[in-house]
Amino acid sequence: IYEEVMPCDRMELSQRLAVEELITTEASYVHNIQFCVLDIWANLQKKQLPDLDLEGLFSNTDDILHVSRRFLRGLEATATQEQEQLLSISTLFQEFKEEMETVYKIYCASYEHALLLVESYRKDPRLQEEILETLNATVPHTGASDLSFFLVMPVQRVTKYPLLLGKILENPPPSTSAYPALQAAVRAMTQVNANINEYKRRKEVATKYNKAEHLTLRDRFARLNTHSIAKKTTRLSRLFMHEAGIVAKTEDREYDDLEEKFQCVVSSVAVLKENVASYLCHLEAFLSATPHKRELQIEEGPAQQYRRFAEYLHCTVFPEFKRRLDRLVCQPTDMLVGPQQLVKKRLDKLLDYEEIQERKSEMGSVTYDEEAAMNTYLAINALLVAELPRFNQVALQLLGQILCSLSALQRDLAAQVLHQAEKELEQMPHGRMPLPSFRKMVEDTLEQSGTQLRTFCQAFETVTPSPVTQPLNPAEERKVVSLVSKHGPDKLYQVTSNVSGSKDLDLTLQRGQIVALLQSVDTKGNTSRWLVDAGGPRGFVPAGKLQPYCPVQSQQPGMQMPALQSSTERRRHSYASPEAPRPQVATFAPTFQVVAGFSFAARSPQEVSLQAGQPVEWSLVDVNGQRGYVPSSYLLTVPVQEPTGWSLPV
């Protein structure tokens, strides 16, 4: 029958069948996409499977469905336009080409990732069983064994549009105006597919280079080879030539402006993260007293209530606040890692590109690998120029939302702490006390506490002797003389407890040793580590384990005070080495002397027994003609009666 139809009629029939195929296949495609989005996706989402990445699987399928529905309605509307149908179809493709390119290029770029997810789920029996159960319940008529049956449909559909239009063009339409319009539609959809493929290629390049690599030193050394070293050396050399102005840098004003805005966002995020980290550190330090970890031997009352309140803040409120802060403020800032890597890699590829271009201009040709390197730079540059404007805009919006989240978290923290504090306050005796009465109670309590503190201080000063400088043995005294001659007496410090050096250039010292201060800061500007001279070795010592050393005047002839030089000049204790000539000055009785604070029984021939209150000489003591060493903790310095007549000022 078909062969008996006139050739003109056969052409018209073929066109009609091709148009019907376009419309019917589009309707079937939309129907299947609806199954994919409305049934399969929705049912899997209800299952709440934690290991199932629905966004990675279906990408922007809902956007494709929205565009395809509108496109199908437009195609079906052309069925009533007999003479103008072909022209309307070509116009419809021209109208939808930009929307189609936008939604399909996103889907096609993530399609490979979706297939990898499907393959990984196929190896998980539990997930595979859930997926098959969903498919059998929603689309049993398709007989699909996995999700790839539906996921491939958008990729196949967008590539089929030029073929369907070309099939219509196999038989020239009677209307001369429709033919060039259909040709334009074919070219438009062919260009859409070409743009989708180029975008997909750029995304593959970006995916390859925008991952932050956390490599150990061993891994980095393992990657080194002759080629990589030569490539990095060439890049570094060209970068130096850029900075020195020897060679001109390739300028891209559009990209430079976009990168400047991007780096501004990066800098703002870096400052925000530093401030948040500092804020958390200070907040944790504020709660570091942790009285709930101390066993308070007191009965129920305000102290125990404060203990419970502090425990609640430290163990419940702060960890929850820190967790929310990390999730809502810190983690979103990681969005910049990928683009930062891509921007950095773009500079590397730019240096390669310039080097290859220079070689190409000299030799006239390049190798296949060099051509691929040039194409890689062009792909990264084009992708950044296309994506950075939108990324910068979204990043600024996200940064504003992060700041709002930070403010909201702080408000929630304050409200939570205040609510708990009010609950604890209601249980206290003065919880409902009027404000004037509360103030009067606080004033009375402070006054009473102040009186108790003054009484305690007076009793403490009466019972406990004033702190004394640790006594020295003769060898230590000689070292003091040397240190004084080198640095002066005001630079002397005594070690208050044993010091064990744990870092390079740290000193290991014993309690009571004398050192001279050289610098009150280390090489990194840390004021908690001081550089000292220990009478030979020099190194760093914790500043908290040093106290100024005020030497006590000895009764030995070698330890005498220097002559008085001026009545208005301030006098300080100093030492002179035994070899140095000294002016003849009158010796004087010391203002303090060392006595035994406790009785001590000798434990070896090198020690000597003594009774509490007996005067002694430092740690090497002389008691009734017997010499020996005693622990310095058994010695006290007590005042003695000053000699009659004049004395040197102290």
Side-chain angles (χ1 to χ4, degrees):
I1 297 174
Y2 180 77
E3 293 176 353
E4 293 177 358
V5 179
M6 296 295 293
C8 182
D9 295 335
R10 286 203 303 270
M11 292 172 55
E12 185 176 352
L13 178 61
S14 297
Q15 286 176 1
R16 188 178 300 112
L17 291 175
V19 170
E20 288 179 1
E21 181 183 3
L22 172 64
I23 298 175
T24 54
T25 54
E26 185 69 21
S28 175
Y29 167 67
V30 171
H31 185 66
N32 287 328
I33 292 296
Q34 285 181 164
F35 275 131
C36 185
V37 175
L38 301 181
D39 295 332
I40 301 175
W41 190 348
N43 278 274
L44 288 175
Q45 196 170 27
K46 289 179 182 178
K47 290 179 179 291
Q48 296 290 322
L49 301 173
D51 298 329
L52 195 63
D53 182 8
L54 293 177
E55 294 292 336
L57 279 173
F58 296 99
S59 185
N60 63 330
T61 315
D62 50 345
D63 295 332
I64 293 177
L65 177 61
H66 177 68
V67 173
S68 299
R69 279 174 171 173
R70 291 169 43 231
F71 182 68
L72 177 60
R73 286 197 294 268
L75 284 177
E76 291 173 343
T78 63
T80 58
Q81 305 171 7
E82 296 181 358
Q83 299 298 327
E84 302 295 329
Q85 185 179 18
L86 296 180
L87 185 61
S88 299
I89 289 175
S90 60
T91 303
L92 191 66
F93 272 101
Q94 293 282 6
E95 291 176 353
F96 275 84
K97 67 176 182 179
E98 291 186 2
E99 286 188 78
M100 285 183 176
E101 180 178 332
T102 300
V103 296
Y104 279 106
K105 73 180 182 181
I106 295 174
Y107 185 88
C108 292
S110 59
Y111 175 66
E112 296 295 334
H113 175 66
L115 290 184
L116 291 176
L117 289 177
V118 171
E119 185 64 26
S120 65
Y121 298 154
R122 191 179 290 122
K123 297 176 182 178
D124 189 330
R126 184 179 62 87
L127 281 178
Q128 182 66 8
E129 182 180 352
E130 294 287 351
I131 292 172
L132 287 177
E133 181 182 335
T134 301
L135 293 177
N136 293 331
T138 54
V139 286
H141 58 283
T142 61
S145 59
D146 57 33
L147 293 172
S148 58
F149 176 83
F150 294 92
L151 297 180
V152 74
M153 288 180 180
V155 179
Q156 292 175 336
R157 188 60 187 174
V158 71
T159 56
K160 200 170 183 180
Y161 285 134
L163 301 177
L164 292 171
L165 289 172
K167 195 171 184 179
I168 296 175
L169 278 174
E170 287 178 358
N171 299 287
S175 172
T176 55
S177 60
Y179 188 77
L182 283 172
Q183 286 182 320
V186 171
R187 289 194 297 271
M189 296 311 298
T190 302
Q191 186 62 43
V192 166
N193 278 274
N195 293 342
I196 290 173
N197 290 332
E198 179 62 20
Y199 180 81
K200 182 181 178 182
R201 187 179 73 86
R202 293 175 184 175
K203 292 292 287 185
E204 289 173 352
V205 172
T207 303
K208 176 181 177 181
Y209 290 115
N210 69 356
K211 294 179 180 179
E213 296 181 317
H214 303 285
L215 301 177
T216 64
L217 186 61
R218 178 177 296 179
D219 294 335
R220 294 183 185 277
F221 275 119
R223 287 192 172 191
L224 288 179
N225 52 51
T226 306
H227 174 70
S228 63
I229 293 175
K231 184 168 62 175
K232 293 181 184 299
T233 304
T234 303
R235 289 175 181 172
L236 187 61
S237 174
R238 191 156 196 91
L239 188 60
F240 283 154
M241 289 191 290
H242 279 173
E243 298 299 326
I246 300 175
V247 296
K249 180 181 178 181
T250 303
E251 292 189 3
D252 188 337
R253 198 63 197 166
E254 182 181 7
Y255 172 80
D256 291 342
D257 292 341
L258 292 172
E259 186 190 359
E260 183 178 357
K261 295 178 181 177
F262 172 74
Q263 296 298 347
C264 181
V265 175
V266 171
S267 176
S268 301
V269 170
V271 172
L272 173 63
K273 294 180 74 171
E274 290 178 3
N275 290 337
V276 168
S278 177
Y279 168 68
L280 271 179
C281 182
H282 284 87
L283 185 60
E284 190 170 14
F286 177 74
L287 298 173
S288 62
T290 59
H292 58 281
K293 294 184 179 178
R294 309 292 186 267
E295 188 63 32
L296 302 178
Q297 299 295 334
I298 41 183
E299 300 177 355
E300 280 293 326
Q304 289 292 354
Q305 285 182 259
Y306 174 71
R307 181 179 184 272
R308 288 192 296 268
F309 179 58
E311 182 177 3
Y312 174 75
L313 292 182
H314 190 270
C315 301
T316 304
V317 175
F318 179 74
E320 176 63 16
F321 173 75
K322 187 176 182 180
R323 184 189 64 80
R324 295 180 65 196
L325 192 70
D326 180 68
R327 182 169 57 87
L328 298 177
V329 176
C330 298
Q331 289 183 9
T333 59
D334 294 339
M335 64 176 181
L336 297 173
V337 175
Q340 279 181 287
Q341 289 292 116
L342 202 58
V343 168
K344 179 179 177 297
K345 184 57 65 175
R346 187 254 183 199
L347 176 60
D348 292 341
K349 295 302 179 181
L350 172 62
L351 298 174
D352 295 342
Y353 178 82
E354 291 178 342
E355 189 72 21
I356 296 170
Q357 280 282 69
E358 197 173 280
R359 194 177 303 119
K360 185 178 181 180
S361 62
E362 294 176 356
M363 303 180 62
S365 62
V366 293
T367 64
Y368 175 80
D369 291 338
E370 291 174 337
E371 187 72 28
M374 294 175 66
N375 291 333
T376 299
Y377 162 72
L378 294 174
I380 294 177
N381 186 72
L383 181 66
L384 287 173
V385 170
E387 298 290 335
L388 273 182
R390 183 169 176 269
F391 181 83
N392 288 340
Q393 182 180 3
V394 173
L396 285 175
Q397 294 174 354
L398 183 59
L399 186 59
Q401 293 174 358
I402 289 174
L403 292 175
C404 292
S405 299
L406 178 60
S407 300
L409 287 173
Q410 289 175 309
R411 286 196 299 267
D412 291 347
L413 176 65
Q416 190 176 9
V417 173
L418 184 61
H419 175 70
Q420 185 67 21
E422 289 174 347
K423 286 173 58 178
E424 296 291 341
L425 184 62
E426 290 177 355
Q427 301 176 20
M428 292 186 177
H430 54 273
R432 302 183 183 278
M433 186 181 295
L435 187 58
S437 302
F438 177 74
R439 288 179 176 173
K440 181 66 168 59
M441 184 196 72
V442 171
E443 291 175 358
D444 294 343
T445 303
L446 290 176
E447 183 177 357
Q448 181 182 1
S449 300
T451 303
Q452 293 176 349
L453 180 60
R454 286 191 295 272
T455 304
F456 173 77
C457 290
Q458 292 173 359
F460 184 81
E461 292 175 355
T462 302
V463 175
T464 307
S466 58
V468 297
T469 304
Q470 291 294 322
L472 306 177
N473 55 43
E476 197 71 16
E477 285 184 353
R478 288 192 294 271
K479 187 175 74 172
V480 169
V481 172
S482 175
L483 292 176
V484 169
S485 64
K486 290 181 181 179
H487 309 286
D490 55 343
K491 293 290 187 179
L492 297 189
Y493 284 79
Q494 190 166 34
V495 181
T496 59
S497 61
N498 293 341
V499 177
S500 178
S502 58
K503 299 181 180 178
D504 293 339
L505 301 181
D506 280 0
L507 293 179
T508 297
L509 303 174
Q510 300 298 320
R511 177 174 178 263
Q513 282 188 250
I514 306 300
V515 296
L517 176 64
L518 300 178
Q519 288 183 359
S520 58
V521 65
D522 66 4
T523 56
K524 296 183 179 180
N526 184 6
T527 57
S528 64
R529 295 175 74 230
W530 289 0
L531 179 64
V532 300
D533 181 359
R538 296 187 177 190
F540 295 102
V541 176
K545 294 192 176 184
L546 297 176
Q547 68 176 8
Y549 176 65
C550 300
V552 177
Q553 181 64 29
S554 173
Q555 292 180 343
Q556 297 177 5
M559 306 294 274
Q560 297 177 353
M561 293 297 296
L564 184 65
Q565 296 180 2
S566 172
S567 59
T568 59
E569 184 180 1
R570 185 177 174 217
R571 304 294 177 178
R572 295 181 299 180
H573 293 288
S574 63
Y575 296 102
S577 59
E579 294 78 6
R582 296 192 301 270
Q584 297 297 324
V585 297
T587 60
F588 60 96
T591 307
F592 293 89
Q593 74 176 88
V594 179
V595 300
F598 308 93
S599 298
F600 174 71
R603 297 165 298 184
S604 68
Q606 288 74 32
E607 297 178 346
V608 62
S609 301
L610 70 164
Q611 299 299 319
Q614 284 185 295
V616 296
E617 290 284 342
W618 304 112
S619 297
L620 177 61
V621 301
D622 187 348
V623 182
N624 298 330
Q626 293 184 345
R627 296 174 62 86
Y629 290 94
V630 296
S632 59
S633 58
Y634 283 79
L635 305 179
L636 297 174
T637 300
V638 298
V640 297
Q641 186 175 1
E642 294 185 0
T644 57
W646 65 274
S647 62
L648 290 177
V650 179

